[in-house]
Amino acid sequence: MTSQTLVFSLDAQSLERIEQKFQEKVRFAEARKSELFDIFQQNLTEEETWALKYVYAYMPVNDMADYNGDLFLSHVRRALDTRKRVPWGDRVPDHLFLHFVLPYRINTENIEDFRGLMYDELAERTEKLSMTDAILETNYWCHEKATYIGSDLRTISPLTMIRNARGRCGEESTLAVAALRSIGIPARQVYTPRWAHGDSNHAWVEAWADGQWYYIGACEPEARLNQGWFSPPARRAMLINTRIYADYPGPEDITLSEKGFTEINLLENYAPTRVIGVKVKNEQGEPVPGASVRFELYNSAEFYPIAEISTDAQGEAAFKTGYGDLLIRAVSGGKWSEILFKAQESELVELVLDSSEQLTGITDFDMVPPPEGEGEVVIALPEEKIRIHNRRLEEGAKTRSEYEKTFLSEEEAVSLAKVVGLPSVRVWAILEKARGNSREIAAFLEERSNSYGEWPLRLLESMNEKDLIDTFRQTLDDHLVGALSQQGSWSEDTFVRYILCPRISYEMLVPYRGVFQNAFSADKAAAFRENPAMLLQMLEQEYEYYEDLPNLKGKGNPIGTFSLMKGDAQSLDILFVAVCRSLGIPARLHPSAQKPQYLSDRGWEDAFSLTSTQTQESTSWGMLQLRKDIKAPQDTPEASYFENFSFARLEGGIYKTLIYPYGSTDVYSEPYEVEPGAYRLTTGIRLKDGTVKVRFVYFTVNTGDTTEVVLTYRETEVDIPVLGKLAPGSILTRLNGSEVELEELLGSEGAIAAWIEPEREPTKHLLRELCELAGPLDKLGIPIVLIIGDVEWNAAFDPAGYPKLPVRTVFVRDSSYASLSDFISKPAAHEAGYPHLFVLDTQHQIRYSASGYKIGTGKEALQIAAAISQSSNGLE
C-alpha cells in the first residue's frame, strides 16, 4: 500500500482505474494534446494531479473538444482550496467531494470559470452558518440573481444566468448547484425527465449536509429545506434522477451506468415506487441480451423514454418507477415488441421480439398517471420565521429588480438607433432581449453599423433570443465580417437564413468563420463550393465518429469538433453546416428531420452524416397532408403541435418524433415535407385528473407521393359540476388603494378568479397561458381577477409587465389571501400550493377549480367558461 492510496481515500485499484481511463483520454485527444494536457507540466501537488486525472478520466468528449486544460485546472484548484477554507470542508467525505463538489459540469451548459466569483460572494454570507442554513442562504442569493422564465432547450451557463437574471428551471438549478459547489457543499441537479400527470418537466436541487441529502427549489427559497411547490407533483412522478459523470457506486439505485456516466434513480425519496421487471425473448423463446428496453411516458403529445435500459445476459432489465401507466418497448436487431403497461398489472413483463412492420389503422387507449398523494405532516413554522423569510424574499426581488434597471432602456435604444441610422423599433427589440448583455450588443451595433449598414442588425435578428445574452463582440464580428465576405449571388433571404445566421442547433455560438475560411486553400474551398459532397467526403475520411453521452449529443461547438477531429453524429452534422456557411454555401439541419442539407441549383440536397447507412444519393422526400376532421364535436381542441398532437417516423424499431415549433396551429394549409417511411400520428387529450385519451394513427409516406391523414381526437365529455358557491363579503384592494368587494369584480356574466404568487414558476406558467389565450378569452368577454397577497406583491412584480393579458384582467391585493377561504375549505398554505384558480358561473357558483402546478390549466378554464357561456346563452 503506497501513500497514493490515501489520495481522496482511493485505494490502489481505484487509482489504477483512473490512471487507465486518463491515459485512454490522452490517446483519444491526440489532436488537442497540447491544449488539454500541457497543464501537467506545471508544478502540481499530488492532490491536484489526481483531481485533474479524475476530471479527465470521466470527461465528456465534447468538453475535450471545446475547452482547454487551464480551465479545468482552475476548477480543480478552486475546489481543493475551497475545501480547506470552508468550515464544513473536512466533514464532506471524499467520495461526495469527488462526485458532487469537484465536477465542473452540471447540465449541458457552456463551461466557464465560475467558482472564484461565486465563492467571493457567498463565503462571508455562509461562513458562520450550519451547513443546512448555508444551503438556505445560498438559495436566497440565487433568488437575488435570477428568477424563472420559459425558454428554449439550450442551457445557459451560471454566469450568463446571473447576467440575464432569469432562465428556465434547468438553468435555475444549474446556477444553484454551481453556487453550492463553489462553497464546498455537495450538490446535484435533480430532474423528472417528464411529468406523468401533466406536460413539461422540472428540475430542482439536492444538497448534502452532515450526512443527509435535502432538496430545494432552485432560486425559489423556502424557509426550510425539503419544501417546494413541486413536492405534490413529485409524488406523482414516474422517475426522478440525476446524472453523474463518473463510475458512481451508489448507494442510490442506479438506472444506467456506462462509459463513465451514471444515472441514479432518486424517485423513492419523493414518491411511492415499485420495480418493473422485463424479460425480452426472440421468436424461438430464447433470451435476448443487449436489447434496448424503453419505458415511455405520454408528455407534450409524444411518447418520451424516461429511461432506456439494456437487457443483461439473461435478457432481463429492471426499472424502479411510480404507480402510473407506461408504454414499454423493446428493440433489438430490427425487431421489436411493445406493450401498454397498466399501473395495476403484475410487475413482471415478457416481450417477444416478433415485429418488423408497424401496425395499421387506429389504436385508442388511456394513459393514467399515479394518483395524488398526501405528504408528511410538518410542524408549522413560527410566525417570526415566516416574517423573516417573507422579508428576505422581498429584499431579494428588490435586489434583482435594481440590477435589471441597469439594462439599456428603450430611450437609450432609440437614441442609439438615431446615431447609427437604424430603425428604432428593431433596435429596441434586440436590446430588450439582450438584457444584461444589452450594452455589449449596443457597442457592436455602434461600432459596425457605420461600415456595414443594416447587416449587423440583420445578423442579430437571425439569432435565437437566448443567443443575445451570451454572445460577445468577438463572435459577432467574426460572423458578420466572415459571412459578408461570402455573400455571393444568393437571394437575400437565403443568405440571411442559411449563411449569415450562425445558429445551427443548440450548440454554443463561437467565432468559427475565420477558422474555417483559413483552414482550406483557395482551390480546396472553391472545390467545396462547386461540390459540397467533397467536403462531406473529406470529413468522412479524416474525422472519427464517436458517440458522446446521451444528454450531450450535438453540444460540441464546430471549432472544438474540428480541432479534436472526433464527435458524435449531431456534432459532426453541425460542423458540416458551419463549414458550409463559412465558405458561402447555404446549409442547414432539415427543420423536422434535423439532418444536414446544403442548397444547390437543384434545391436542398441531403448530406449524409458519418454514421449514415444510406447511399450517397439525395433522398426523394414525400409529403404529409393533414386534413381536418369535419365530423369532430364542437369541443374538439384546436390542433397544436407538441401540445395535443405530433407525428413520428419509425427508424430502427423506434419512433422518432419530428421537430416542429411548439404550439404550431397552422397545420392544414401546407403539407409537411417528410422522409419516406412508416409513421405514427399521436393525438392526446389530457383530462383534469391527468389521464390522457390517446390515439395512434399509423400510415406510410412513399417517395414523391402525398399522403393524406385526418387529424382526429378521441371524444371526451366536459364535466361541469357545481363545486360550491362564493361566500359574499370578501374585501380586496385595487391598485389605486381603494377597497372593492370580490363579487363586484366578478360581475354577473361568469368569471375566472385566481390567487397567485407571481414570483413562483407555477404562477408564471398560468400567466403565460392566459397571455396566449387572450384572443379567445377576450371574445368570451368575462372578467379575469388575479389576486395577490400583500407580502407576495413584491418589488419585482409590476402588472404593466404583462401587457398581453386579456383586456378584462384586473390585479387586486388580498391581505394574507384571506378571501381564499371562501373558495376552498383547506387553508391557503395547503401543500398543493398556488395558483388556486376557479371558474364561476353567472350565479357565482364554482364550476371548476385547480390548485398548484399544472400545464394547461388556462385552456381547461377557458373550455369550462366557454361551455358555461354557451349554456347561459341557450337558456336566454
Side-chain angles (χ1 to χ4, degrees):
M1 192 73 71
T2 69
S3 62
Q4 284 187 337
T5 59
L6 300 178
V7 177
F8 302 118
S9 304
L10 295 167
D11 58 27
Q13 187 178 4
S14 298
L15 289 170
E16 185 178 340
R17 184 169 65 249
I18 291 169
E19 180 67 35
Q20 181 183 351
K21 287 179 173 290
F22 170 70
Q23 294 300 336
E24 288 173 2
K25 289 294 175 68
V26 173
R27 291 190 292 272
F28 179 85
E30 176 65 31
R32 302 196 73 238
K33 190 172 184 177
S34 174
E35 294 91 336
L36 288 166
F37 304 110
D38 276 1
I39 51 169
F40 286 93
Q41 306 305 315
Q42 296 185 30
N43 185 23
L44 305 178
T45 66
E46 184 183 39
E47 198 176 38
E48 287 172 346
T49 299
W50 279 105
L52 263 177
K53 286 184 175 182
Y54 176 88
V55 165
Y56 276 110
Y58 298 107
M59 186 176 291
V61 174
N62 287 336
D63 291 352
M64 303 189 80
D66 294 350
Y67 308 104
N68 293 337
D70 54 355
L71 177 61
F72 304 124
L73 178 57
S74 177
H75 270 278
V76 162
R77 282 183 165 160
R78 275 286 182 179
L80 294 173
D81 181 61
T82 298
R83 193 181 193 190
K84 295 181 179 72
R85 291 174 179 268
V86 294
W88 45 78
D90 58 357
R91 304 208 300 271
V92 175
D94 282 351
H95 76 280
L96 289 179
F97 176 80
L98 286 174
H99 293 117
F100 302 112
V101 177
L102 181 64
Y104 60 87
R105 175 170 289 291
I106 299 154
N107 194 324
T108 59
E109 75 279 11
N110 182 48
I111 305 303
E112 296 172 337
D113 199 357
F114 60 76
R115 287 185 191 262
L117 295 168
M118 293 188 181
Y119 176 86
D120 290 344
E121 290 215 13
L122 285 164
E124 197 172 323
R125 286 175 64 155
T126 58
E127 64 183 355
K128 291 183 172 61
L129 302 177
S130 66
M131 283 189 82
T132 52
D133 284 345
I135 294 167
L136 292 172
E137 183 63 30
T138 300
N139 208 20
Y140 282 121
W141 178 85
C142 292
H143 170 67
E144 294 167 15
K145 299 299 181 185
T147 189
Y148 176 83
I149 189 173
S151 64
D152 68 36
L153 294 176
R154 184 168 72 85
T155 302
I156 58 177
S157 71
L159 298 184
T160 299
M161 182 72 166
I162 292 171
R163 185 187 310 114
N164 193 46
R166 64 188 190 187
R168 56 179 171 78
C169 60
E171 294 161 337
E172 289 180 302
S173 48
T174 297
L175 170 63
V177 170
L180 288 162
R181 289 180 180 178
S182 294
I183 55 169
I185 293 179
R188 59 197 185 193
Q189 185 179 53
V190 178
Y191 256 108
T192 177
R194 293 291 189 275
W195 293 115
H197 69 288
D199 296 308
S200 190
N201 62 357
H202 190 52
W204 58 93
V205 171
E206 287 189 346
W208 183 93
D210 299 318
Q212 185 175 342
W213 285 98
Y214 300 88
Y215 70 83
I216 58 172
C219 302
E220 295 182 315
E222 299 285 355
R224 60 179 158 205
L225 299 173
N226 290 346
Q227 185 170 306
W229 62 258
F230 52 87
S231 298
R235 289 197 291 273
R236 304 183 74 184
M238 293 293 282
L239 176 65
I240 291 171
N241 64 7
T242 193
R243 292 161 170 157
I244 303 164
Y245 301 96
D247 294 316
Y248 181 70
E252 300 91 344
D253 287 303
I254 295 173
T255 301
L256 177 69
S257 180
E258 59 182 36
K259 293 167 60 175
F261 174 80
T262 307
E263 192 174 279
I264 60 175
N265 190 336
L266 303 170
L267 181 63
E268 67 182 3
N269 296 338
Y270 298 87
T273 63
R274 59 169 176 179
V275 176
I276 301 174
V278 179
K279 190 170 185 65
V280 181
K281 296 181 178 181
N282 61 21
E283 291 175 278
Q284 290 73 45
E286 301 163 333
V288 180
S292 173
V293 182
R294 296 162 59 92
F295 298 87
E296 299 180 341
L297 198 61
Y298 178 96
N299 187 288
S300 300
E302 69 169 337
F303 276 83
Y304 181 89
I306 58 172
E308 189 171 351
I309 302 172
S310 295
T311 54
D312 60 18
Q314 288 74 46
E316 297 177 353
F319 177 49
K320 180 176 284 189
T321 187
Y323 283 83
D325 296 352
L326 286 167
L327 204 60
I328 304 177
R329 187 177 185 89
V331 182
S332 181
K335 293 206 168 185
W336 64 85
S337 180
E338 185 175 72
I339 186 172
L340 173 61
F341 180 83
K342 303 298 288 183
Q344 66 272 22
E345 293 176 352
S346 163
E347 295 179 356
L348 296 175
V349 175
E350 186 172 291
L351 293 172
V352 179
L353 302 181
D354 56 3
S355 298
S356 56
E357 300 290 334
Q358 79 164 1
L359 300 174
T360 58
I362 296 175
T363 302
D364 290 345
F365 58 96
D366 291 353
M367 287 291 290
V368 182
E372 292 187 51
E374 288 294 326
E376 295 180 6
V377 176
V378 294
I379 300 172
L381 290 169
E383 283 295 323
E384 177 62 20
K385 190 162 188 176
I386 294 173
R387 277 196 297 273
I388 292 171
H389 171 67
N390 289 334
R391 175 177 56 77
R392 295 295 305 276
L393 291 179
E394 171 71 18
E395 290 171 351
K398 187 174 182 180
T399 298
R400 182 172 4 98
S401 181
E402 289 298 317
Y403 164 65
E404 290 177 309
K405 290 177 183 176
T406 68
F407 301 169
L408 275 177
S409 66
E410 184 173 4
E411 291 74 21
E412 290 172 299
V414 170
S415 176
L416 170 67
K418 288 180 180 177
V419 170
V420 297
L422 294 171
S424 59
V425 172
R426 290 166 60 193
V427 170
W428 171 234
I430 290 295
L431 294 179
E432 185 179 25
K433 293 171 186 173
R435 293 177 59 79
N437 199 38
S438 55
R439 297 187 186 279
E440 178 80 1
I441 299 297
F444 167 71
L445 286 173
E446 190 168 13
E447 289 172 5
R448 295 301 182 183
S449 296
N450 287 335
S451 301
Y452 295 97
E454 199 176 83
W455 285 117
L457 181 59
R458 296 287 297 275
L459 169 67
L460 295 167
E461 289 173 334
S462 77
M463 295 156 56
N464 290 351
E465 181 172 335
K466 193 177 281 187
D467 297 332
L468 299 172
I469 61 175
D470 64 358
T471 307
F472 307 122
R473 274 175 281 180
Q474 179 192 1
T475 299
L476 294 170
D477 282 342
D478 171 82
H479 288 291
L480 176 69
V481 177
L484 292 176
S485 71
Q486 307 293 324
Q487 191 165 1
S489 57
W490 299 103
S491 71
E492 191 169 292
D493 180 64
T494 296
F495 171 72
V496 170
R497 295 177 67 184
Y498 304 117
I499 295 178
L500 177 67
C501 178
R503 167 60 56 209
I504 299 168
S505 180
Y506 291 117
E507 76 288 355
M508 183 68 188
L509 290 188
V510 294
Y512 59 70
R513 292 189 202 254
V515 172
F516 297 145
Q517 288 169 359
N518 292 319
F520 310 106
S521 67
D523 289 344
K524 185 169 278 191
F528 290 159
R529 292 187 193 97
E530 183 68 24
N531 182 9
M534 290 182 64
L535 170 60
L536 187 70
Q537 186 178 21
M538 183 211 75
L539 291 176
E540 287 186 324
Q541 290 172 351
E542 298 180 11
Y543 281 68
E544 181 184 336
Y545 161 74
Y546 188 91
E547 194 67 45
D548 206 351
L549 301 179
N551 66 320
L552 287 173
K553 292 178 181 178
K555 298 300 189 296
N557 76 59
I559 292 179
T561 305
F562 183 73
S563 61
L564 187 65
M565 303 183 74
K566 295 180 176 72
D568 61 80
Q570 289 166 270
S571 295
L572 289 165
D573 290 345
I574 290 167
L575 171 61
F576 172 80
V577 174
V579 175
C580 282
R581 290 185 182 180
S582 300
L583 300 180
I585 305 165
R588 68 179 186 180
L589 297 182
H590 185 274
S592 60
Q594 295 294 292
K595 295 180 179 179
Q597 294 183 313
Y598 59 89
L599 189 62
S600 74
D601 295 338
R602 297 180 294 277
W604 286 106
E605 301 201 35
D606 295 318
F608 297 102
S609 67
L610 300 180
T611 57
S612 175
T613 57
Q614 294 171 276
T615 59
Q616 296 298 315
E617 296 178 4
S618 190
T619 300
S620 295
W621 294 64
M623 291 291 181
L624 166 62
Q625 178 67 66
L626 294 179
R627 296 297 184 195
K628 197 163 189 175
D629 181 10
I630 58 175
K631 299 178 182 177
Q634 188 175 0
D635 59 357
T636 299
E638 180 184 21
S640 178
Y641 202 82
F642 276 142
E643 192 171 359
N644 54 39
F645 90 95
S646 69
F647 39 88
R649 184 172 183 266
L650 184 62
E651 298 181 17
I654 294 169
Y655 282 100
K656 294 188 177 179
T657 304
L658 275 65
I659 307 299
Y660 293 100
Y662 173 85
S664 299
T665 55
D666 183 18
V667 302
Y668 302 114
S669 58
E670 296 288 336
Y672 293 89
E673 180 188 60
V674 297
E675 291 182 273
Y679 284 84
R680 184 181 73 190
L681 170 68
T682 299
T683 65
I685 296 178
R686 195 178 286 279
L687 307 182
K688 189 173 183 293
D689 68 356
T691 297
V692 184
K693 297 285 187 181
V694 180
R695 169 164 290 171
F696 284 161
V697 179
Y698 299 96
F699 60 94
T700 300
V701 176
N702 296 314
T703 301
D705 290 347
T706 297
T707 300
E708 295 192 355
V709 177
V710 178
L711 185 56
T712 62
Y713 295 85
R714 293 175 61 193
E715 289 190 28
T716 58
E717 292 184 5
V718 179
D719 184 25
I720 316 180
V722 175
L723 303 175
K725 187 167 183 177
L726 169 68
S730 294
I731 304 297
L732 303 172
T733 306
R734 298 181 188 269
L735 299 189
N736 62 11
S738 63
E739 291 188 343
V740 61
E741 284 199 16
L742 177 57
E743 286 179 290
E744 181 183 339
L745 292 172
L746 297 175
S748 60
E749 56 221 305
I752 293 174
W755 279 255
I756 64 175
E757 288 181 321
E759 276 290 296
R760 301 284 184 172
E761 181 177 335
T763 288
K764 291 184 179 183
H765 282 296
L766 174 61
L767 291 172
R768 174 183 54 79
E769 289 180 25
L770 292 175
C771 290
E772 292 171 352
L773 297 169
L777 284 168
D778 285 342
K779 188 175 180 181
L780 200 58
I782 61 173
I784 298 168
V785 182
L786 301 179
I787 305 159
I788 306 174
D790 284 340
V791 171
E792 286 72 19
W793 192 299
N794 60 44
F797 177 69
D798 181 1
Y802 297 93
K804 296 181 181 179
L805 282 168
V807 293
R808 293 199 65 186
T809 302
V810 57
F811 288 94
V812 288
R813 296 175 189 254
D814 178 11
S815 178
S816 303
Y817 292 110
S819 63
L820 186 55
S821 59
D822 296 335
F823 279 72
I824 56 176
S825 57
K826 293 180 181 178
H830 182 246
E831 206 184 6
Y834 296 88
H836 297 287
L837 182 143
F838 304 89
V839 178
L840 297 100
D841 62 19
T842 55
Q843 281 79 46
H844 292 170
Q845 296 180 120
I846 301 166
R847 309 300 295 274
Y848 170 88
S849 70
S851 293
Y853 170 86
K854 184 185 174 189
I855 302 296
T857 301
K859 282 200 171 182
E860 287 182 359
L862 169 63
Q863 186 181 23
I864 298 296
I868 291 171
S869 176
Q870 290 169 6
S871 174
S872 300
N873 292 335
L875 289 173
E876 291 173 2

